[in-house]
Amino acid sequence: MNAPAPPAADTLRTALAGLLDGMPPRQAAQAVERLIGHYRGATPTDAPILRDRADTAAYAAYRMPATFEAVRAALAAFAAAVPGWTPASHTDLGGGTGAATWATAATWDGERTSTVLDWAEPALALGRELAAADPALAAVRWQRARIGAALALDPVDLVTVSYVLNELTAADRAALVDAAASAARAVVIVEPGTPDGYARIIEARDRLTGAGFRVAAPCPHSAACPIAPGTDWCHFSARVSRSSLHRQIKGGSLAYEDEKFAYVAATRLPAAPAPARVVRRPQIRKGQVLLDLCETDEATAPVLHRATVTKRHGDLYRAARDTDWGDPWPPA
């Protein structure tokens, strides 16, 4: 799943670095710590946490690259399941500074109408400023909207919802997913790769399939998840390159980090999900590769299965050695 970063990732990093010119890294780091504390607490959905441009710039530098890479990975898996289709219109629900809109532009070429909806006006203003760095985002509309039960959406090809469900009440989460399902031909939802994030994804997945959507990724099926509740959770990882400023803000020394995320991509379009999905990091041993797979058995029931691919499998073994966590199996 860790494909080489597209040029949009470099453009985004450069634009983010420009935002913090003149702001001491220590000040940015302190703003990030305060905002993380708020996000981890109970915050009303009608009380924006990002109060001003400084708050928004610091948090965008901290979170936007990781959100971009996670959403881009989810969209790439979805695009592989619906080859030849390109969304002509896109709505980014709770999109803030627009990371998912950047990811959409990086996944599909061509022009589309895109709208970012969010309650926090400082986030929308900063998103508009960042988007000026990429001509592909010149026509994006940035609109203030309450993300909740009163949400009404115009018909659209694609709706993305990234790192939003955690901020909503159960009732507002249900209303958001139902609104997306009513408006869109495809819905992609991304949450943190934690047990709670996975639980929210499963909740949303059930609502989408109940509304007649089929799952395109990551699951090879639209049936119930085979993971017994409370025993494990399905999540994936995206590699994120860090700029020097990003490392200062996050207090890290490595040039990269791994963003863990859970997601579901569902659609009303004809879709060809992967036959199986690698759901854990492959274990490469002498002469063999162990792959933990989610797949369907001969009765088309979803199952979790560990496959052992050895040198005797020839080309398949060589492919297994190059396979990453989150990839489809077998390779096309």
Side-chain angles (χ1 to χ4, degrees), residues 189-246:
I189 302 176
V190 181
E191 281 286 293
T194 62
D196 286 346
Y198 161 73
R200 291 188 292 272
I201 288 294
I202 289 298
E203 178 185 82
R205 183 186 187 276
D206 288 346
R207 297 195 77 87
L208 290 170
T209 56
F213 280 66
R214 61 183 62 86
V215 178
C219 321
H221 56 82
S222 296
C225 178
I227 297 175
T231 63
D232 203 350
W233 71 99
C234 181
H235 64 293
F236 302 95
S237 180
R239 180 60 54 89
V240 184
S241 297
R242 287 172 162 177
S243 66
S244 59
L245 181 59
H246 194 206

Side-chain angles (χ1 to χ4, degrees), residues 1 21 39 101 131 151 171 177 180 218 237 283 323-325:
M1 187 169 285
D21 281 348
Y39 273 113
T101 300
L151 181 67
V177 175
S237 180
Q283 298 180 42
T323 294
D324 203 355
W325 182 10

Side-chain angles (χ1 to χ4, degrees), residues 92-262:
D92 186 5
L93 286 182
T97 53
T101 300
W102 282 77
T104 299
T107 303
W108 290 285
D109 293 330
E111 296 182 358
R112 67 185 50 83
T113 58
S114 290
T115 302
V116 179
L117 300 179
D118 199 273
W119 180 248
E121 181 59 40
L124 293 168
L126 196 74
R128 188 182 297 110
E129 183 179 338
L130 285 169
D134 190 337
L137 304 177
V140 175
R141 293 173 294 185
W142 305 83
Q143 184 176 331
R144 192 166 188 243
R146 166 76 159 81
I147 308 300
L151 181 67
L153 300 175
D154 293 330
V156 70
D157 282 344
L158 173 68
V159 165
T160 55
V161 185
S162 55
Y163 296 87
V164 172
L165 299 184
N166 183 49
E167 300 176 29
L168 305 178
T169 65
D172 282 350
R173 287 199 301 269
L176 179 149
V177 175
D178 291 347
S182 296
R185 302 174 72 193
V187 178
V188 178
I189 302 176
V190 181
E191 281 286 293
T194 62
D196 286 346
Y198 161 73
R200 291 188 292 272
I201 288 294
I202 289 298
E203 178 185 82
R205 183 186 187 276
D206 288 346
R207 297 195 77 87
L208 290 170
T209 56
F213 280 66
R214 61 183 62 86
V215 178
C219 321
H221 56 82
S222 296
C225 178
I227 297 175
T231 63
D232 203 350
W233 71 99
C234 181
H235 64 293
F236 302 95
S237 180
R239 180 60 54 89
V240 184
S241 297
R242 287 172 162 177
S243 66
S244 59
L245 181 59
H246 194 206
R247 292 198 296 273
Q248 286 179 312
I249 290 174
K250 300 197 76 168
S253 58
L254 295 177
Y256 66 88
E257 63 184 72
D258 290 323
E259 172 70 7
K260 305 292 175 45
F261 66 98

